[in-house]
Amino acid sequence: MSPVARLRGRKPDWLSDPKVWRTEILAGLVVGLALIPEAISFSIIAGVDPAIGLFASFTMAVVISIVGGRRAMISAATGAVALVIAPLNREHGFGYLVAAVILAGVFQVILGALGVAKLMRFIPRSVMVGFVNSLAILIFMAQVPEMRNVPWAVYPLIIGGLALMVFFPKITTVIPAPLVTIIILTVITVGAAIAVPTVGDKGALPSSLPVPGLPDVPFTLDTLTTIAPYAFAMALVGLMESLMTAKLVDDITDTHSNKTRESVGQGIANIVTGFFGGMGGCAMIGQTMINVKVSGARTRLSTFLAGAFLMVLCIVFGSVVSDIPMAALVAVMVMVSFATFDWHSIAPKTLKRMPAGEIAVMVITVACVVATHNLAIGVVVGSLTAMVIFAKRVAHLAEVTAVIDPDGTAVVYRVTGELFFASSNDLVGRFDYAGDPDKVLIDLSAAHVWDASSVAALDAIETKYAQRGKTVEITGLDDPSAHLHDKLSGELAAGH
């Protein structure tokens, strides 16, 4: 293959397919519009000027579109990150917040390089379903304040917006229904002079691009110790939400993403965002669903344009964007929440067939997220619950059966199953130390020794028999179990 042909083969889809090009541009425009009120709201949570959140959304989206590992995923200023760093800004000032964002980015690069993305394999499907459902609930709950204590005209506008998004795709899918909804409702409210809350009511839009600079803090060890806990918490929350969102997009698009690259990319994006005076961020599930599921975007172009359009809309078309009714964006996000929720997971047929433990894990994950408004806490608690249920289930799989030789001189105990801390704790009580013959064989050919607790349990069994003058022989260990047993046996008793 010639170099020219190879170069052509590396072309992004949007360069060679006009249909993809159009889809990506329109998707980026819709997401850019939807990012504005969200970024302003998260700025308020963090206690900073609205422009700070908008700058963060701009730099995060643009940078991650280049260095990220998941195409079409949107990263911007988020509520989870805002909640983590808000106390730092409140207690120490904005300079410390910016420094924490940069340090959080460094932590994310390090964690990504160390392979933190591999931990995703330990998140069970029930936790993933709970994550998706709680996310849908949070997206809807975030719209509720926009529907309280508002002029009556807001409600028919929201209903009209929802109707447009349901029925417009039946006419054509060339233009994304959310974009049509935003345009039509804006024209109606402006043309008819309907007084309803608008994007401009959320805060002033920036009038110029952000400029790079260093955080206004003393570069001392004291500053580092002050910002480090917040930065590390932000790094963990940001990575968890980003990796979970990437996995969700993988499932929706039936494509694979590079989670390690995404982890490092999130760090780079936050470092850049910090130097441009932004509040930091991570992947945004709501805007990602608008981009991928509603608008049909699949490439990095939509992510890049979402950030670019955000700044263009704020700086060039700020007066027009300010007139967009919040009802239009509320309608879009309500539709996103409805589309995000896994309705199949709560169908009666599904619940009847699903093991009780799986349902419990899903419910606990949802409950924790909704109660704390923190997706990371829900995922951690849900995963730990799933591990406890699994450990309890597997612990019962270890069985012990005894067979005494006909001449009564020896007894063979056959152990089957997985021996680890949960199952081995009961192992010691399964032997008849006083009544057994002088020779005891423990056959582990149908078992596997996983940890030090199991080795300690086997040592305890040998000790109890030895105290009665009886000998124990352990047989049938597979190579990994034998290696662990030889390494630890006799070394775990008190005093070693």
Side-chain angles (χ1 to χ4, degrees):
M1 184 182 289
S2 69
V4 174
R6 279 199 299 270
L7 187 60
R8 275 182 193 158
R10 293 175 188 169
K11 270 187 177 182
D13 292 340
W14 56 271
L15 280 179
S16 54
D17 189 339
K19 186 183 290 186
V20 173
W21 182 76
R22 182 181 63 239
T23 299
E24 299 298 310
I25 291 177
L26 292 175
L29 179 58
V30 173
V31 174
L33 286 167
L35 279 173
I36 294 173
E38 294 280 301
I40 294 173
S41 297
F42 298 146
S43 299
I44 295 170
I45 292 173
V48 298
D49 189 81
I52 303 304
L54 292 165
F55 289 156
S57 295
F58 163 61
T59 53
M60 286 294 298
V62 169
V63 174
I64 205 66
S65 70
I66 300 168
V67 300
R70 172 65 258 178
R71 291 181 296 172
M73 190 166 76
I74 305 297
S75 290
T78 60
V81 168
L83 286 170
V84 170
I85 59 176
L88 179 63
N89 180 60
R90 188 167 54 247
E91 294 170 17
H92 298 279
F94 180 66
Y96 283 82
L97 181 150
V98 172
V101 170
I102 296 172
L103 183 59
V106 174
F107 282 144
Q108 287 177 329
V109 171
I110 294 171
L111 290 170
L114 291 175
V116 70
K118 294 178 181 178
L119 296 177
M120 286 295 296
R121 71 182 68 175
F122 296 107
I123 298 179
R125 181 186 177 279
S126 52
V127 173
M128 190 67 192
V129 173
F131 167 81
V132 171
N133 290 346
S134 57
L135 204 49
I137 294 170
L138 286 186
I139 292 172
F140 180 81
M141 288 175 62
Q143 312 314 309
V144 173
E146 304 298 336
M147 295 184 272
R148 287 179 180 164
N149 303 317
V150 292
W152 68 268
V154 168
Y155 303 109
L157 286 172
I158 293 175
I159 294 171
L162 292 172
L164 276 170
M165 282 183 287
V166 170
F167 295 108
F168 186 79
K170 300 181 185 299
I171 301 172
T172 179
T173 56
V174 173
I175 304 175
L179 181 57
V180 174
T181 300
I182 292 169
I183 292 172
I184 290 178
L185 294 190
T186 302
V187 170
I188 290 173
T189 54
V190 173
I194 302 174
V196 292
T198 64
V199 170
D201 295 332
K202 287 288 184 180
L205 302 181
S207 57
S208 62
L209 288 170
V211 293
L214 294 174
D216 184 18
V217 295
F219 292 91
T220 62
L221 183 61
D222 185 56
T223 299
L224 181 63
T225 56
T226 300
I227 66 173
Y230 295 95
F232 191 66
M234 175 185 162
L236 292 179
V237 169
L239 281 182
M240 189 171 295
E241 292 209 24
S242 299
L243 293 175
M244 290 290 284
T245 305
K247 189 174 186 302
L248 179 59
V249 178
D250 288 353
D251 295 339
I252 291 172
T253 61
D254 196 24
T255 58
H256 177 70
S257 61
N258 188 329
K259 306 298 189 302
T260 298
R261 178 177 172 180
E262 181 61 35
S263 302
V264 174
Q266 288 290 329
I268 295 171
N270 272 306
I271 292 171
V272 173
T273 297
F275 281 118
F276 275 91
M279 57 180 275
C282 61
M284 292 191 76
I285 184 67
Q287 274 62 26
T288 297
M289 289 299 100
I290 293 175
N291 197 46
V292 174
K293 204 164 186 177
V294 180
S295 302
R298 292 291 183 272
T299 77
R300 297 178 184 275
L301 179 62
S302 58
T303 306
F304 177 87
L305 290 178
F309 280 142
L310 170 65
M311 278 293 100
V312 171
L313 289 167
C314 290
I315 296 172
V316 181
F317 301 102
S319 59
V320 176
V321 172
S322 295
D323 289 334
I324 295 175
M326 285 302 299
L329 297 172
V330 168
V332 171
M333 297 310 293
V334 168
M335 183 58 70
V336 168
S337 70
F338 184 85
T340 302
F341 197 91
D342 186 351
W343 297 100
H344 176 72
S345 67
I346 60 170
K349 287 184 179 179
T350 305
L351 295 176
K352 284 181 182 178
R353 295 176 181 175
M354 192 73 67
E358 301 280 317
I359 297 173
V361 169
M362 181 180 71
V363 171
I364 288 171
T365 302
V366 172
C368 286
V369 172
V370 173
T372 63
H373 284 232
N374 191 319
L375 291 162
I377 291 177
V379 170
V380 170
V381 173
S383 298
L384 291 175
T385 304
M387 290 177 187
V388 171
I389 292 173
F390 174 76
K392 186 177 180 182
R393 186 182 302 158
V394 174
H396 294 300
L397 300 179
E399 298 291 338
V400 179
T401 54
V403 178
I404 299 178
D405 281 353
D407 58 4
T409 59
V411 61
V412 178
Y413 282 94
R414 181 173 174 79
V415 181
T416 60
E418 307 300 321
L419 298 182
F420 65 113
F421 62 89
S423 59
S424 60
N425 286 336
D426 297 329
L427 192 64
V428 179
R430 307 288 285 277
F431 294 81
D432 185 4
Y433 302 101
D436 281 340
D438 290 343
K439 186 176 181 182
V440 179
L441 280 80
I442 302 177
D443 180 9
L444 297 176
S445 58
H448 186 90
V449 178
W450 286 102
D451 60 7
S453 297
S454 303
V455 176
L458 293 172
D459 283 355
I461 293 168
E462 290 187 80
T463 300
K464 287 181 179 291
Y465 277 115
Q467 290 171 347
R468 292 168 173 79
K470 302 175 182 182
T471 59
V472 175
E473 182 182 351
I474 297 175
T475 63
L477 287 168
D478 58 27
D479 289 342
S481 299
H483 176 73
L484 184 65
H485 184 266
D486 293 343
K487 182 180 179 181
L488 298 179
S489 182
E491 301 295 327
L492 301 173
H496 286 287

